[in-house]
């Protein structure tokens, strides 16, 4: 069983206050995020045509949920994320540099490695993407965007604490560290152990450079080769005092350009993707340079509301042992 129940845990909010608080924090955060990053809300697809190549391949082994649409004569996939779709949408909708979009993304990830306090087969997140100038494809721009997102999170929590003072405060100052620096600093630890150790000390952290092999020959974590540039991407993590762990809230990055896509497809052994429409357009320089990512809605709700299990803020399906453990602990799974 993978469920961890903190000793003496009791939800800070009852079930009805929790539902009210989730609705409020989502509205607050959306407004903060849109204002700080200059984003415009658009509608998102729940599924995509399989042949389009627009669905996210994640780490490459996760199987998307497939179904046929008889009247269209096509196969469709429930989205795993919208990393590629967003960039195509910015192109199709004629957005301009400095302006971006965000959307509610609901996904099913049937091959989630583990179901535990933080992981569910149902994924809900704010997916966002923004057109940038080619000159903005650098780490300084990435770091500035990360700080804006962290500010949006902290500003949202400040308002939430004015209404629910029992909620915890978050660390605004972001510590930036590369995945290679973490490996050099903790060579005998696994990547997750490195995150835990570092973020325990530096409560709000952005880890740079995820997807490419480190000097050990292994990546810090997997990333699909066709959306993030592995040298200019990363994860935002907060220290979760309740669960005593590094808590990933967002994966994001400056996106691949033709050169980095060409390199990463070859490294990942994914040259077959070059024939898909999205990849052809990108390799030909027909798609705008962008930065983007996803911010977990249930993750944010967990963090801000002090919840021990993601099932307290979203409705999903759990194994019998998880359901029984939460019931014994008085944790209500939605």
């Amino acid at each position: 069983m993978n469920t961890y129940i903190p000793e003496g845990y009791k939800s800070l909010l009852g079930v009805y206050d929790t539902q009210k608080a989730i609705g409020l924090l989502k509205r607050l955060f959306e407004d903060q995020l849109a204002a700080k990053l200059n984003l415009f809300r658009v509608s998102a697809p729940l599924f995509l045509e399989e042949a389009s190549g627009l669905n996210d391949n994640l780490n490459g082994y996760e199987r998307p949920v497939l179904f046929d649409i008889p009247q269209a004569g096509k196969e469709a996939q429930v989205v795993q994320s919208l990393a590629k779709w967003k960039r195509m949408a910015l192109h199709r909708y004629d957005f301009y540099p400095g302006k971006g979009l965000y959307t509610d993304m609901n996904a099913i990830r049937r091959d989630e490695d583990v179901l535990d306090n933080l992981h569910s087969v149902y994924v809900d997140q704010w997916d966002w993407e923004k057109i940038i100038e080619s000159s903005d494809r650098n780490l300084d721009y990435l770091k500035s965007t990360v700080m804006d997102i962290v500010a949006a999170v902290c500003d949202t929590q400040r308002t939430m604490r004015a209404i629910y003072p029992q909620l915890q405060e978050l660390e605004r100052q972001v510590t930036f560290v590369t995945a290679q620096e973490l490996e050099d600093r903790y060579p005998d630890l696994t990547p997750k152990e490195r995150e835990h150790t570092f973020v325990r000390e530096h409560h709000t952290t952005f880890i740079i450079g995820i997807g490419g092999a480190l000097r050990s020959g292994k990546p810090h974590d997997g990333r699909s080769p066709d959306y993030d540039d592995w040298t200019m991407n990363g994860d935002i993590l907060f220290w979760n005092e309740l669960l005593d762990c590094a808590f990933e809230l967002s994966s994001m990055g400056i996106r691949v350009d033709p050169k980095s896509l060409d390199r990463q497809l070859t490294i990942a052994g994914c040259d077959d993707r070059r024939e898909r429409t999205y990849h052809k357009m990108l390799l030909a320089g027909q798609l705008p340079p962008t930065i983007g990512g996803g911010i977990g809605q249930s993750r944010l709700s967990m963090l801000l509301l002090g919840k021990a299990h993601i099932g307290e803020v979203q409705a999903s399906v759990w194994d019998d042992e998880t359901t029984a453990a939460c019931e014994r602990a008085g944790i209500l799974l939605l």
Side-chain angles (χ1 to χ4, degrees):
M1 185 181 69
N2 300 297
T3 301
Y4 166 68
I5 310 296
E7 185 176 353
Y9 171 71
K10 185 177 180 181
S11 176
L12 296 174
L13 301 174
V15 62
Y16 297 114
D17 275 341
T18 294
Q19 293 300 308
K20 288 171 58 179
I22 290 172
L24 175 60
L25 77 84
K26 286 185 176 182
R27 291 193 297 273
L28 290 170
F29 181 73
E30 282 191 20
D31 289 345
Q32 290 282 349
L33 183 70
K36 290 184 184 332
L37 299 187
N38 194 26
L39 306 178
F40 180 79
R41 191 187 187 285
V42 302
S43 298
L46 179 60
F47 46 86
L48 295 163
E49 185 181 349
E50 182 182 12
S52 71
L54 289 178
N55 203 359
D56 190 350
N57 298 90
L58 301 178
N59 293 308
Y61 61 83
E62 294 92 344
R63 299 170 299 158
V65 176
L66 295 166
F67 63 97
D68 66 306
I69 306 176
Q71 293 302 314
K74 295 181 178 179
E75 296 284 326
Q77 296 179 343
V78 176
V79 300
Q80 297 195 118
S81 91
L82 296 173
K84 301 169 193 169
W85 177 87
K86 293 178 296 181
R87 193 166 182 181
M88 187 71 84
L90 288 171
H91 170 69
R92 292 180 58 233
Y93 299 167
D94 288 330
F95 276 63
Y96 54 84
K99 180 76 173 177
L101 59 81
Y102 78 93
T103 187
D104 282 313
M105 190 280 290
N106 295 281
I108 298 174
R109 296 183 182 172
R110 62 195 290 190
D111 290 326
E112 186 65 60
D113 288 338
V114 63
L115 300 182
D116 58 16
N117 296 63
L118 307 183
H119 297 88
S120 168
V121 296
Y122 169 59
V123 178
D124 56 339
Q125 65 183 30
W126 290 283
D127 251 331
W128 65 274
E129 196 86 7
K130 178 180 178 180
I131 295 181
I132 59 176
E133 300 286 359
S134 295
S135 58
D136 291 328
R137 297 189 76 259
N138 58 67
L139 289 178
D140 286 341
Y141 191 91
L142 175 67
K143 291 178 179 180
S144 174
T145 304
V146 168
M147 289 187 289
D148 283 339
I149 294 171
V150 169
V153 171
C154 292
D155 288 348
T156 298
Q157 184 68 333
R158 181 176 57 190
T159 302
M160 294 301 295
R161 292 185 74 242
I163 302 169
Y164 305 103
Q166 65 269 44
L167 302 179
Q168 73 170 24
E169 195 167 2
L170 299 175
E171 173 60 59
R172 284 178 176 267
Q173 182 175 340
V174 184
T175 300
F176 293 92
V177 64
T178 67
Q180 186 60 63
E181 287 170 339
L182 286 182
E183 183 182 71
D184 294 343
R185 187 167 179 170
Y186 311 111
D188 298 325
L189 300 182
T190 67
K192 290 302 177 187
E193 289 171 342
R194 294 171 200 153
E195 292 178 2
H196 179 90
T197 303
F198 190 84
V199 181
R200 179 193 288 274
E201 181 180 353
H202 307 277
H203 283 191
T204 302
T205 297
F206 186 73
I207 300 174
I208 302 170
I210 297 178
L214 304 176
R215 281 194 281 271
S216 65
K218 299 178 181 179
H220 181 82
D221 200 357
R223 285 293 186 275
S224 184
D226 45 14
Y227 55 95
D228 283 349
D229 185 319
W230 292 341
T231 66
M232 291 185 284
N233 71 344
D235 291 340
I236 300 175
L237 300 102
F238 288 85
W239 181 250
N240 189 311
E241 200 72 46
L242 175 66
L243 297 178
D244 190 40
C245 70
F247 188 89
E248 181 187 325
L249 183 67
S250 174
S251 174
M252 58 171 289
I254 290 174
R255 305 309 199 185
V256 288
D257 61 4
K259 183 177 179 180
S260 56
L261 175 63
D262 178 63
R263 180 180 68 251
Q264 291 178 188
L265 286 176
T266 299
I267 291 172
C270 296
D271 286 319
D272 58 304
R273 299 184 191 179
R274 296 174 185 271
E275 297 307 310
R276 298 175 182 173
T277 300
Y278 168 83
H279 300 77
K280 282 183 176 179
M281 292 180 68
L282 215 166
L283 288 167
Q286 295 172 354
L287 296 181
T290 63
I291 184 173
I295 301 166
Q297 295 188 14
S298 291
R299 288 284 183 97
L300 184 66
S301 298
M302 279 188 72
L303 181 67
L304 299 195
L305 303 182
K307 298 292 186 177
H309 197 284
I310 197 168
E312 296 180 87
V313 296
Q314 64 156 243
S316 187
V317 174
W318 306 98
D319 58 277
D320 292 340
E321 289 187 7
T322 294
T323 302
C326 289
E327 186 174 343
R328 288 194 300 270
I331 295 176
L332 177 64
L333 298 178
L334 301 180

